[in-house]
Amino acid sequence: MISNFSDEVVKQASNDAKRLLSKDLQRAIRINKSAGSVTSPSIDGMPKGSHRGNGSEEIMLLVSECRQLIRDVSSALSMLDADEFQALQDFYIHDKTATRIAQNLYVSRTQIYRIINRGINEFVDYYRGGELLVIAKRELEDKLPA
């Protein structure tokens, strides 16, 4: 699928994937952990809503979106080969250095960067059926002068 897009779109989608793994996923994991068990509000008399809506519903929606993101990322990562999976997980999620990952996988540091780049390209293809590519293409088209 990735071969159907321009180099510029692939580069943008790859950058988006890196941000997704290093920042968005970390935020989703933190929110998911801190949420504990989110339940529906109980009705016990007079409504206690505010003029801004029901905060509990907003929290439930946010937690649900975070859990879906975690599932989607996990699904895409699970489709990678073992080295790519390990390298991406260690580099973007666990903040390990390329040198440390290379030692763990018994390859050179240069090879780790190749594995990471290959893994990112595969991740871009697998994440939500190539959604990152479609978004990147749309964003780049929107930037073009009319």
Side-chain angles (χ1 to χ4, degrees), residues 4 11 14 34 37-38 41 45 48 52 56 62 65 68 80-82 87 91 109 114 117 120 125 127 132 142-144:
N4 298 336
K11 182 179 179 181
S14 295
S34 68
S37 76
V38 178
K48 294 177 177 73
R52 291 180 282 134
S56 182
L62 178 63
E65 290 171 353
Q68 186 62 49
L80 303 176
D81 75 25
F91 194 73
R109 199 167 146 253
R114 287 188 195 118
N117 289 334
I120 285 291
D125 257 351
Y127 180 74
L132 293 172
D142 289 346
K143 289 180 182 178
L144 292 175

Side-chain angles (χ1 to χ4, degrees), residues 67-130:
R67 288 180 179 161
Q68 186 62 49
L69 176 75
I70 293 166
R71 281 191 297 271
D72 292 344
V73 168
S74 295
S75 175
L77 288 174
S78 72
M79 298 176 82
L80 303 176
D81 75 25
D83 286 347
E84 291 168 349
F85 174 86
Q86 192 65 51
L88 290 184
Q89 184 178 30
D90 287 348
F91 194 73
Y92 290 107
I93 299 170
H94 299 299
D95 290 325
K96 291 184 181 176
T97 65
T99 303
R100 181 141 180 225
I101 299 167
Q103 290 170 345
N104 292 343
L105 294 178
Y106 303 105
V107 296
S108 71
R109 199 167 146 253
T110 304
Q111 188 63 22
I112 281 300
Y113 284 111
R114 287 188 195 118
I115 291 170
I116 289 170
N117 289 334
R118 191 174 59 239
I120 285 291
N121 286 338
E122 294 293 317
F123 178 84
V124 163
D125 257 351
Y126 297 138
Y127 180 74
R128 295 182 179 170

